[in-house]
């Protein structure tokens, strides 16, 4: 959530301050990368995307869209750039509200979670694949 809140900060910066907008966007990108690295340390390795992984991937995608918008606005006339920036700011805010409402509703009604039977079957398949892989491959000895 902090990553997405950080995405809303370029909204208040005037259109003609391209450096400040891009600086904040790059800082948000670094924040998202750091958050991803820290989150990976706390989550066990699994062979599917977790809700947190999907959330962070959406944050990266949103950051890329914001970088593209910053570039497009920097190439436009001031009046058109202000209108586009205002419209884009509203769209990003609505996207943020929609995404978090979807996550809240989906979490409440268990829309994002795999059934335990599917998780166990997936883990069993992964273990058998690993066992078969190493059974075929001779170990190197010195």
């Amino acid at each position: 959530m902090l990553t997405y809140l950080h995405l809303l900060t370029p909204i208040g910066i005037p259109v003609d301050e391209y450096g400040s907008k891009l600086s904040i966007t790059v800082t948000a990108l670094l924040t998202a990368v750091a958050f991803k690295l820290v989150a990976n340390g706390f989550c066990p390795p699994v062979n599917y995307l977790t809700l947190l992984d999907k959330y962070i991937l959406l944050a990266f995608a949103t950051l890329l869209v914001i970088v593209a918008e910053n570039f497009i606005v920097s190439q436009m006339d001031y009046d058109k750039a202000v209108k586009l920036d205002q419209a884009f700011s509203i769209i990003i805010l609505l996207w943020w509200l929609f995404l978090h409402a979807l996550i809240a509703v989906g979490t409440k009604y268990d829309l994002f979670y795999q059934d335990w039977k599917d998780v166990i079957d997936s883990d069993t398949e992964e273990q058998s694949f690993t066992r078969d892989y190493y059974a075929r491959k001779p170990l190197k000895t010195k």
Side-chain angles (χ1 to χ4, degrees), residues 23-45:
S23 172
I24 288 175
T25 307
V26 169
T27 302
L29 180 63
L30 292 173
T31 303
V33 169
F35 181 69
K36 175 71 174 155
L37 293 174
V38 170
N40 279 346
F42 286 105
C43 297

Side-chain angles (χ1 to χ4, degrees), residues 60-140:
F60 284 136
T62 306
L63 278 167
L64 289 175
V65 170
I66 290 174
V67 168
E69 188 267 344
N70 286 341
F71 176 74
I72 291 169
V73 165
S74 71
Q75 303 299 316
M76 298 176 73
D77 294 335
Y78 182 79
D79 294 332
K80 290 180 182 177
V82 168
K83 289 179 183 177
L84 179 65
D85 195 49
Q86 289 172 348
F88 188 76
S89 298
I90 291 170
I91 290 169
I92 288 292
L93 181 61
L94 292 175
W95 166 248
W96 186 86
L97 291 172
F98 169 76
L99 179 66
H100 287 86
L102 178 68
I103 289 173
V105 170
T107 304
K108 179 169 176 51
Y109 294 107
D110 294 333
L111 300 177
F112 301 116
Y113 301 107
Q114 289 184 336
D115 186 44
W116 277 111
K117 184 181 180 321
D118 296 337
V119 171
I120 291 170
D121 290 344
S122 173
D123 288 345
T124 304
E125 289 173 13
E126 183 178 332
Q127 289 171 356
S128 66
F129 172 78
T130 304
R131 184 185 63 238
D132 293 343
Y133 176 78
Y134 286 111
R136 288 181 299 202
K137 188 175 182 180
L139 294 175
K140 293 182 180 179

